[in-house]
Amino acid sequence: MDRNPSPPCSDAEEEEGDAVGNTVYSKHWLFSVLTRLIEVIAPAEPDPAASPEGARTELDEEMENDICKVWDMSMDEDVALFLQEFNAPDIFMGVFAKSKCPRLTEICVGILGNMACFQDICMSISKDENLGQLLLQRLCDSDSPTLLETSRLLLTCLSQPEVANVWVERIRENPSVYDCVCFIMSSSTNVELLVKVGEVVDKLFDLDEELMLNWIKNGTSRSVGPSVDDSPEELPDFKIVPCILEAAKQVRSDNPEGLDVYMHILQLLTTVDEGIQAIVQAPDGGKDTWSLLYDLVCQELCQPDDPPIIVQEQKTVLASILSVLSAMFASQTEQEYTRMRKSKSCYFVCLIRILQYMEGCGKRAVDNSKESEQEETGRTDVNEEDFHLKILKDICCELLSNMLQELTKENTLEGLHQGHLNEQTCSCAFQNLLPLYFASVESFLEVLREADQTLADNLEKRFPSLKVHT
């Protein structure tokens, strides 16, 4: 769809007292649109455009243009308050209950989404149990634009601390939300919708661990979900991890921010044992997750032909991916995919590259800090960047430590042959891992002595603390 029509120029100034708040919009015009909207969903006389059930399936052009203008105007707080005063949410409830017109439903949810951006209105909408239930039912809609606006509205409400718990509890008590969200993530090809639904799930899991645990354990019973003809449709027995992976695959190429969201959802899952087990004990034994993360780290993100500064842009998504990999590696080292020589060799190179790029970014940050020593804002930005890079470095070092402990003589010989293991890369690893991960470095050094005594001796000379303990 093209963008909604811009709000109309109003003649409100010609009629004293007709302006909405400090705007130039006419109260009379807005009230007339709301009145016509009531007539659309409850016509006094049969309408030739109506379906056999008596509900209109299409909006006439004039009505659609006018209600779209209201949609645009509702971004203004004065207009939003006027709509609230004249019980627009109650009118929209009638639309949700009776309308068979997807476009009308989409617009009404969109208007509510704009109104919810204002705290007092958001609290009023959120505390209306009937409206809340009807809005959650919209997640089972078959219309993608309506699903997008519903997700946007939910995210707006979940982002306001005063009402977030109301929605979390409401969603926890509605099992159909899980089914509908999983259905969207596993079947939709609408990237914009997938990103917004992902943001809702990410926010829910971040707000409430209990809900996350419920969704991890869910999928044991079949339930009713969306259907184009409004007849009940039995959905598959959804599991949360495969649905997240399917959505991530859809957004990975077109929307980097969306990929970041879905990788963070996976990272949140690994904060509880049940989540880690859901990943590594999936029907495929975690191979799909490992394969996707392998492709992202080894073939797409932070590549050799990228400038080092790329690690700044990708720091959050890299931190999430490496955190999931670390959890998988630590919990299921016996899995075939974690023992693959190709995986270990590739990950070692990628982790070293990330650490090297971070060193470059660190030097640049120091230089920038000196240049802006007198600018308080500049120093704050640098410190924030340093904080995020430190998180990435900590996660990167933990995974590298785990992998070094698992490297065999065969893996090491292959890495030496391919040029992945050399004095420069090993020195970078040791410099970042010591002294915290001394045991891992020492274990790897013992294997390295069997594969290349000269390289091992050179590394001991560069890192005297290792020689003391041998």
Side-chain angles (χ1 to χ4, degrees), residues 15 30 39 98 151 221 233 271 280 358 365 374 419 449:
E15 191 173 337
L30 275 168
E39 293 171 354
K98 299 178 182 180
S151 301
S221 61
E233 177 182 326
T271 61
V280 300
M358 279 193 288
Q374 303 303 319
R449 284 195 193 94

Side-chain angles (χ1 to χ4, degrees), residues 429-447:
F430 288 11
Q431 181 176 336
N432 284 279
L433 293 178
L434 293 172
L436 184 60
Y437 296 101
F438 181 87
S440 297
V441 173
E442 188 177 45
S443 172
F444 168 67
L445 195 59
E446 290 178 6
V447 175

Side-chain angles (χ1 to χ4, degrees), residues 279-324:
I279 293 173
V280 300
Q281 293 181 1
D284 64 354
K287 289 182 181 179
D288 276 356
T289 305
W290 187 270
S291 177
L292 174 61
L293 302 185
Y294 178 90
D295 287 345
L296 291 172
V297 172
C298 296
Q299 299 178 20
E300 293 187 22
L301 300 173
C302 203
Q303 294 301 292
D305 55 348
D306 290 329
I309 195 65
I310 194 70
V311 78
Q312 287 276 21
E313 299 175 13
Q314 298 174 352
K315 58 184 177 292
T316 56
V317 68
L318 282 170
S320 295
I321 292 172
L322 296 184
S323 181
V324 177

